[in-house]
Amino acid sequence: MLEIKNLHARVDDRDVLNGIDLSISAGEVHAIMGPNGSGKSTLAYVLAGRDGYEVTEGSIHYQGNDLLDLAIEERAREGIFLAFQYPVEIPGVAGTTFLRTAVNSLRKHRGEKEFDAMQFVKYVREKQSELNITDDMLRRPVNVGFSGGEKKRNEILQMALLEPKFAVLDETDSGLDIDALKTVADGVNTLRDPNRSMLVITHYQRLLDYIVPDFVHVLAHGRIVKSGGKELALELEKEGYGALTGTQAA
Amino acid sequence: MSRQIIAEFPFVERFDELSAEFPGAGLDWLDTMRRTSLDRFNRLALPSTRVEAWKYTNLRELAKTPFEMAEASSGSASLDLSEQAAMGSESAHRLVFANGIYNASLSRLETLPDGVIITNLEDALTTHGSLVRPHLERLSSLEEDALLALNTAFMMNGYVVIVEEGIEVGTPIELLFLSDPSSPTSIHPRNLIVAGAESNAKLTEWHVGSGDSDYWSNPVTEVVVGPEAAVSHRKVQRESASAFHLAQTRVSLAGNATYTGFLMSAGARLSRCEVEARLEGDGANCELDGIYLARDHQHSDITTRIAHTEPGGNSRQVFKGVLDGHSHGVFQGQVSVSPDAQRTDGHQLNKTLLLSEGAEIDTKPELEICADDVKCSHGATAGQLDELELFYLRSRGLDAEEARQVLIRAFIAEVVESVEEGDFQDQLNTIIDDWLSNGLSTS
């Protein structure tokens, strides 16, 4: 589904990714772990297509096509989804309006009929209760005044509504207490599907107790320095990143 | 550089010839007032950018245009305009002025309650002269303002709305100024709103031009809000792309009076909407909100002056603008508080969104506070669309254009929502949608 080869990327004239190779098949959940500054979030932004994240070498193929040729929204419409580490607040835009516009732009792309307001409310209602998202949260401007947990739940709601084929979860556990973490993880697990792949980026092993990955990769200095099964996460938890990366863990 | 711009407008030179056709021609007091004002205009001339109040708005291009005056016959050409513009609502009282000339067949006056006069200036001078005269004279003698003097000298028709004490005009009143002259034409509407004590009226002005018509609209509107009275006064400026629009609204408020002004300025090549409100009675309230949208080489100036002269007054202003292309926005907001005006509460906010490298805003808030027990604030910001917000929206499937539109709408939503829900709010949204769909810079 996703094939990353020798990926180099630069942000603000600084080389952050220095040759990443990663292959993810349909239905697999991969975790990327690594200390701060190792390039985890940069990889997430490069996949989503954010401006200013310049690929200087290498390639990313998604479903056989060159992903780097696609604009941000084209990637989204082709099924790429990024759950943001810091979900963006958008004052003045009501949550429901935002979600409906997003869902409809994907439906339009797929040649499906766009939802009207009533149909959309029904569609959302099925998904929002599992994630403990109230109607009030949806009426409010996107993420404005939301707690850390609410923001992350809102990201997973978007993921549930947009039904991506490939989801990147960027430090979805950061800033969450254990209850909020469970809610979010349950939401993600519900979305696991033989046709949907995920890349779970995290600093801590804790998240992986709840979202159990098929593979774990360790990122350091913009390179994958070790790959393994889910047991690698536990090993890291015990040993720290230092042994693998040659530096002290952050 | 001089403080004056000397213009040789053909219509000004033809004053003697034209004056025989002016509304109220032959009324001695009015003829004298026009003559005095003409002399004053000739003495003052147009202000140059050396004059502080005109520092950011240059009238040189205006001064170069050979403006004539509208002929009475040109008042019939605007039927298409009123249909195209889809303005107003079905049930409103409506006065229509085409190229400055009253058009009776497009106007519509439902049965008026006792104590309400809605008419045009020409008829008002004939039938209600004693009611109109003191207001015209007071404003015209008030100050040294070239454009006001020019308007007084050449005042054509305009609307007159007089509401007697205690009367509520339930039906909204719409004033349509439609312009599509075929050669450079100057139009000088003179309007008057007088709301008696404890009365209530809602008015909406539309200034709309077609295509590329070359004209200069120079309206002056006087608004007198009596004790405990409430006036809602909305204005939409969508003049033609070649037009100049220089408007002045002068409001005076008595004790506990309320004036709610709203401005949507989206048209014209160069526009200046000037509002002066004087809170001259205890506990008067003035709320001014507005939106300015400009693109290409448009110049859009909003100038407000709020004078608190008595205690306990409130004023609130929120103006938001969106500038694209090489457009130039100006916001000058002056709030002055006299020594007697204790317990004044005055707030002003101006925010501008710049969509392109070439767009520019000059914003100048000015507070002059001479009382010690007051709450006053002002804020001004100018910024661009947020890169991260755009990325977030696009990462959810909205294309770049759609994402920008969502954020621009969100930016001005607060001002749109300050208008009560209904026809007018819907019309504002339509104007904004139209503006957005004309294409934005991609930078």
Side-chain angles (χ1 to χ4, degrees):
Chain A
M1 172 161 294
L2 190 86
E3 192 76 40
I4 302 177
K5 281 189 182 150
N6 190 31
L7 184 70
H8 289 66
R10 172 178 286 195
V11 187
D12 293 334
D13 292 330
R14 201 168 56 88
D15 293 322
V16 182
L17 301 183
N18 300 302
I20 290 187
D21 292 286
L22 182 62
S23 179
I24 298 175
S25 301
E28 291 176 355
V29 174
H30 289 235
I32 294 236
M33 301 184 68
N36 292 332
S38 57
K40 301 191 300 293
S41 286
T42 298
L43 177 60
Y45 284 143
V46 167
L47 287 167
R50 184 172 176 184
D51 290 344
Y53 288 72
E54 186 196 353
V55 173
T56 51
E57 211 182 322
S59 65
I60 306 176
H61 280 83
Y62 168 67
Q63 297 186 313
N65 299 315
D66 188 348
L67 181 74
L68 300 174
D69 273 353
L70 302 182
I72 303 164
E73 60 271 26
E74 291 169 332
R75 297 181 195 198
R77 291 169 187 177
E78 292 298 329
I80 301 241
F81 179 87
L82 169 62
F84 281 56
Q85 181 181 2
Y86 303 107
V88 180
E89 299 187 4
I90 308 188
V93 179
T96 356
T97 313
F98 163 66
L99 294 174
R100 184 153 70 97
T101 312
V103 168
N104 278 338
S105 66
L106 265 65
R107 290 183 67 85
K108 203 164 120 191
H109 178 72
R110 293 194 296 247
E112 295 164 2
K113 204 165 171 291
E114 294 179 39
F115 283 137
D116 65 27
M118 287 304 288
Q119 291 168 321
F120 185 71
V121 167
K122 214 175 137 213
Y123 178 62
V124 178
R125 198 143 281 161
E126 292 164 18
K127 320 254 178 182
Q128 75 184 81
S129 59
E130 290 168 22
L131 286 159
N132 197 14
I133 287 176
T134 59
D135 288 348
D136 179 58
M137 273 171 71
L138 295 181
R139 271 192 294 269
R140 277 149 58 189
V142 180
N143 290 325
V144 175
F146 284 24
S147 70
E150 287 172 330
K151 283 182 179 171
K152 296 298 172 83
R153 273 164 21 221
N154 198 19
E155 291 295 288
I156 304 308
L157 174 67
Q158 291 169 40
M159 179 170 155
L161 294 173
L162 297 174
E163 300 179 321
K165 297 194 188 94
F166 180 76
V168 182
L169 309 181
D170 187 7
E171 307 224 9
T172 294
D173 52 333
S174 68
L176 297 189
D177 63 26
I178 194 71
D179 292 331
L181 180 65
K182 276 183 185 163
T183 310
V184 166
D186 287 349
V188 172
N189 286 328
T190 315
L191 295 170
R192 288 182 80 149
D193 183 291
N195 297 313
R196 178 173 294 139
S197 315
M198 297 186 196
L199 184 63
V200 180
I201 293 173
T202 181
H203 189 90
Y204 301 105
Q205 181 267 340
R206 186 181 69 161
L207 176 67
L208 305 181
D209 289 342
Y210 298 95
I211 304 173
V212 180
D214 301 307
F215 300 95
V216 174
H217 311 278
V218 181
L219 193 65
H221 310 305
R223 250 187 228 104
I224 289 174
V225 293
K226 188 163 187 181
S227 297
K230 59 177 185 266
E231 64 287 346
L232 178 59
L234 295 166
E235 196 181 308
L236 275 170
E237 181 78 358
K238 215 158 47 187
E239 310 282 338
Y241 289 115
L244 277 172
T245 63
T247 55
Q248 290 300 308
Chain B
M1 195 172 69
S2 156
R3 290 171 56 82
Q4 297 182 327
I5 299 174
I6 308 295
E8 288 170 1
F9 295 122
F11 75 95
V12 174
E13 282 155 23
R14 288 175 58 217
F15 176 83
D16 290 334
E17 179 192 338
L18 291 167
S19 61
E21 299 289 319
F22 287 152
L27 293 170
D28 282 347
W29 65 270
L30 189 56
D31 291 344
T32 309
M33 192 171 89
R34 286 182 186 277
R35 172 69 62 185
T36 312
S37 297
L38 177 71
D39 293 344
R40 183 179 295 168
F41 174 75
N42 283 329
R43 172 167 54 79
L44 293 169
L46 293 171
S48 80
T49 51
R50 281 271 298 276
V51 176
E52 184 60 23
W54 290 87
K55 189 171 171 183
Y56 306 111
T57 296
N58 196 328
L59 298 180
R60 202 174 306 145
E61 291 300 315
L62 174 99
K64 280 186 205 159
T65 315
F67 288 109
E68 262 299 350
M69 201 114 165
E71 305 290 333
S73 60
S74 58
S76 58
S78 297
L79 186 61
D80 281 357
L81 268 177
S82 71
E83 286 172 352
Q84 279 169 21
M87 294 157 287
S89 59
E90 288 301 309
S91 56
H93 300 299
R94 171 179 283 193
L95 297 181
V96 179
F97 300 88
N99 297 326
I101 302 196
Y102 179 63
N103 186 312
S105 62
L106 289 176
S107 300
R108 179 182 62 213
L109 289 172
E110 309 296 328
T111 313
L112 294 175
D114 284 346
V116 179
I117 297 166
I118 302 175
T119 186
N120 63 76
L121 179 66
E122 183 159 23
D123 289 349
L125 285 166
T126 317
T127 46
H128 308 286
S130 60
L131 290 175
V132 173
R133 179 176 171 179
H135 295 290
L136 293 184
E137 284 184 335
R138 192 186 69 91
L139 194 59
S140 305
S141 65
L142 215 54
E143 64 198 295
E144 302 275 286
D145 183 299
L147 292 165
L148 175 60
L150 189 68
N151 176 282
T152 305
F154 289 89
M155 68 172 96
M156 307 167 65
N157 229 326
Y159 65 83
V160 173
V161 172
I162 299 175
V163 184
E164 282 180 17
E165 186 173 338
I167 305 287
E168 284 203 20
V169 191
T171 312
I173 304 164
E174 289 169 4
L175 302 315
L176 271 54
F177 295 86
L178 312 174
S179 303
D180 65 346
S182 47
S183 59
T185 299
S186 72
I187 301 165
H188 305 271
R190 183 64 163 254
N191 308 312
L192 176 64
I193 303 168
V194 182
E198 296 176 46
S199 67
N200 191 311
K202 293 190 171 80
L203 301 93
T204 308
E205 281 181 34
W206 293 80
H207 297 258
V208 178
S210 82
D212 242 12
S213 277
D214 210 348
Y215 59 91
W216 167 20
S217 176
N218 182 39
V220 171
T221 304
E222 183 177 7
V223 186
V224 182
V225 193
E228 319 260 343
V231 170
S232 158
H233 186 196
R234 299 156 171 175
K235 171 176 161 177
V236 174
Q237 185 276 104
R238 296 184 88 183
E239 304 281 23
S240 90
S242 302
F244 296 89
H245 178 92
L246 302 173
Q248 301 189 52
T249 303
R250 305 295 180 102
V251 186
S252 67
L253 291 106
N256 295 315
T258 300
Y259 176 79
T260 311
F262 187 92
L263 194 57
M264 161 58 91
S265 184
R269 148 193 190 176
L270 181 148
S271 67
R272 169 148 157 150
C273 297
E274 201 176 302
V275 181
E276 178 187 85
R278 305 188 58 82
L279 285 71
E280 295 172 331
D282 280 22
N285 295 292
C286 176
E287 188 166 323
L288 294 181
D289 294 303
I291 295 169
Y292 46 101
L293 307 174
R295 57 156 45 96
D296 302 329
H297 284 86
Q298 278 182 296
H299 179 101
S300 178
D301 175 338
I302 308 267
T303 292
T304 66
R305 290 191 298 276
I306 312 282
H308 290 266
T309 60
E310 294 294 325
N314 292 297
S315 65
R316 292 267 177 293
Q317 301 180 69
V318 179
F319 284 90
K320 287 195 177 180
V322 183
L323 304 178
D324 198 5
H326 287 84
S327 64
H328 184 187
V330 177
F331 178 81
Q332 305 188 103
Q334 190 189 70
V335 177
S336 63
V337 181
S338 307
D340 290 341
Q342 298 295 1
R343 304 187 321 283
T344 287
D345 200 341
H347 299 279
Q348 180 191 88
L349 183 65
N350 172 231
K351 287 188 173 183
T352 306
L353 195 52
L354 300 168
L355 299 180
S356 63
E357 289 277 319
E360 197 186 324
I361 176 79
D362 285 298
T363 176
K364 190 174 81 171
E366 243 182 306
L367 296 185
E368 292 172 10
I369 302 173
C370 302
D372 48 19
D373 180 16
V374 300
K375 273 193 282 186
C376 281
S377 70
H378 67 80
T381 64
Q384 294 158 354
L385 288 175
D386 187 272
E387 183 266 330
L388 199 54
E389 291 176 14
L390 286 170
F391 172 56
Y392 192 61
L393 291 173
R394 292 177 70 190
S395 79
R396 299 306 184 243
L398 282 71
D399 66 38
E401 180 82 5
E402 223 176 341
R404 278 200 297 271
Q405 293 188 2
V406 164
L407 295 180
I408 294 166
R409 277 199 199 87
F411 173 74
I412 41 185
E414 174 194 359
V415 189
V416 174
E417 284 158 15
S418 74
V419 171
E420 63 182 304
E421 281 182 39
D423 288 350
F424 188 67
Q425 197 187 74
D426 295 345
Q427 285 158 351
L428 287 178
N429 281 319
T430 306
I431 292 169
I432 293 163
D433 289 347
D434 280 359
W435 192 83
L436 290 172
S437 67
N438 273 333
L440 303 168
S441 296
T442 49
S443 69

